[in-house]
Amino acid sequence: MAVMDVVKYGNPILRKKCAEVTDFDSLPELVNNMFDTMYEEEGVGLAANQVGLNLKLMIIDVSHMDEAEETHVFVNGKITDSWGESIIEEGCLSIPEVRLEVKRPEFIKFKYKTMGGEKKEEEFSGLLARAIQHENDHLNGIFIIDRVSPIVRMQVKKQLKEITKESGINRKNKDRKISFVL
Ligand code: CO
């Protein structure tokens, strides 16, 4: 088991557009470590740049909220279509303790590669579609705070400043209540 440090808001890698994965051979070990990290941090999704890696790679496990679900690994993903609308409260492992109601399309069509390099394009809905969009945003340098109104953003400005200040220091939240943190 290898738990990596989760990079926090303020670290420039989280504002980068991540690079395509070309070396698929190194993925299994990396993905294993990402899952260890995500479970340790009690998140339901994790993007590679959240552990400091400039790679278009994300993992998701929403099975504790949706029993029909399983674990997912998406490589070099791209949302090709979206429709509908829903508002769900989201948290983010890179922005501890901040929860924001985020409006996003309810359904997406997502093109990606599997860990084995197989090309896929599928439609997703519900929590999984939500998680994919959150992580896909990370891989494009976008945070949940970019998806809310300026007024709401103002309300968390102080917290963001503090996180930026502490960025790089691995801190633990004892009483993080999990709803939907990715
Ligand atoms: Co996040």
Side-chain angles (χ1 to χ4, degrees), residues 56-58 60 72-76 110 112-113 124 132:
K56 226 183 244 185
L57 163 69
M58 65 168 89
I60 292 171
H72 298 272
V73 180
F74 299 111
V75 185
N76 297 343
F110 192 58
Y112 66 95
K113 280 188 177 174
F124 295 97
I132 291 171

Side-chain angles (χ1 to χ4, degrees), residues 4 13 40 48 61 87 101 112 124 130 137 143 152 164 181:
M4 296 178 278
I13 196 163
E40 174 73 20
D61 182 356
I87 297 174
E101 289 196 333
Y112 66 95
F124 295 97
R130 179 57 66 152
D137 270 356
F143 288 94
V152 174
T164 304
V181 182

Side-chain angles (χ1 to χ4, degrees), residues 6 14 16 20 27 40 47 49-51 53 62 70 78 81 93 98 105-106 117 119 130 135 152 155 161 166 169-170:
V6 173
L14 292 173
K16 267 181 94 130
E20 300 260 317
L27 287 184
E40 174 73 20
N49 53 345
Q50 287 185 282
V51 287
L53 298 162
V62 291
E70 49 193 33
K78 189 183 161 64
D81 198 5
L93 293 176
V98 171
E106 198 178 348
K119 278 188 193 170
R130 179 57 66 152
E135 303 313 339
V152 174
Q155 290 163 352
K161 235 178 162 171
E166 291 177 27
I169 299 164
N170 190 16

Side-chain angles (χ1 to χ4, degrees), residues 66 69 82 113 147 162:
D66 180 351
E69 266 300 325
S82 64
K113 280 188 177 174
R147 296 278 184 205
E162 258 164 46

Side-chain angles (χ1 to χ4, degrees), residues 4 24 26 37 70 73 77 97 99 132 137 156 170 177 179:
M4 296 178 278
F24 282 74
S26 63
T37 306
E70 49 193 33
V73 180
E97 286 159 48
R99 299 273 184 285
I132 291 171
D137 270 356
V156 296
N170 190 16
K177 226 185 83 207
S179 46

Side-chain angles (χ1 to χ4, degrees), residues 3-171:
V3 174
M4 296 178 278
D5 283 341
V6 173
V7 170
K8 301 294 186 321
Y9 180 86
N11 187 312
I13 196 163
L14 292 173
R15 281 298 187 192
K16 267 181 94 130
K17 239 177 171 339
C18 288
E20 300 260 317
V21 171
T22 52
D23 173 17
F24 282 74
D25 293 341
S26 63
L27 287 184
E29 194 189 342
L30 181 54
V31 163
N32 259 337
N33 294 343
M34 282 177 67
F35 273 109
D36 287 345
T37 306
M38 185 180 79
Y39 293 134
E40 174 73 20
E41 297 287 330
E42 299 181 354
V44 299
L46 190 67
N49 53 345
Q50 287 185 282
V51 287
L53 298 162
N54 179 15
L55 288 174
K56 226 183 244 185
L57 163 69
M58 65 168 89
I59 60 164
I60 292 171
D61 182 356
V62 291
S63 60
H64 76 294
M65 307 170 92
D66 180 351
E67 282 180 9
E69 266 300 325
E70 49 193 33
T71 59
H72 298 272
V73 180
F74 299 111
V75 185
N76 297 343
K78 189 183 161 64
I79 294 168
T80 54
D81 198 5
S82 64
W83 61 100
E85 192 179 287
S86 71
I87 297 174
I88 295 179
E89 192 182 76
E90 295 181 22
C92 180
L93 293 176
S94 295
I95 313 180
E97 286 159 48
V98 171
R99 299 273 184 285
L100 296 173
E101 289 196 333
V102 184
K103 192 202 285 184
R104 298 186 189 272
E106 198 178 348
F107 306 94
I108 58 165
K109 201 170 191 185
F110 192 58
K111 205 166 128 179
Y112 66 95
K113 280 188 177 174
T114 65
M115 267 213 291
E118 192 190 340
K119 278 188 193 170
K120 297 219 170 185
E121 189 167 18
E122 291 173 290
E123 285 180 15
F124 295 97
S125 62
L127 289 177
L128 184 53
R130 179 57 66 152
I132 291 171
Q133 291 177 82
H134 180 113
E135 303 313 339
N136 192 59
D137 270 356
H138 273 306
L139 298 176
N140 286 303
I142 299 165
F143 288 94
I144 49 173
I145 50 153
D146 304 316
R147 296 278 184 205
V148 296
S149 71
I151 296 166
V152 174
R153 208 175 305 136
M154 275 295 291
Q155 290 163 352
V156 296
K157 209 176 152 190
K158 225 180 118 190
Q159 279 165 282
L160 292 177
K161 235 178 162 171
E162 258 164 46
I163 296 164
T164 304
K165 222 167 30 182
E166 291 177 27
S167 197
I169 299 164
N170 190 16
R171 51 183 206 144

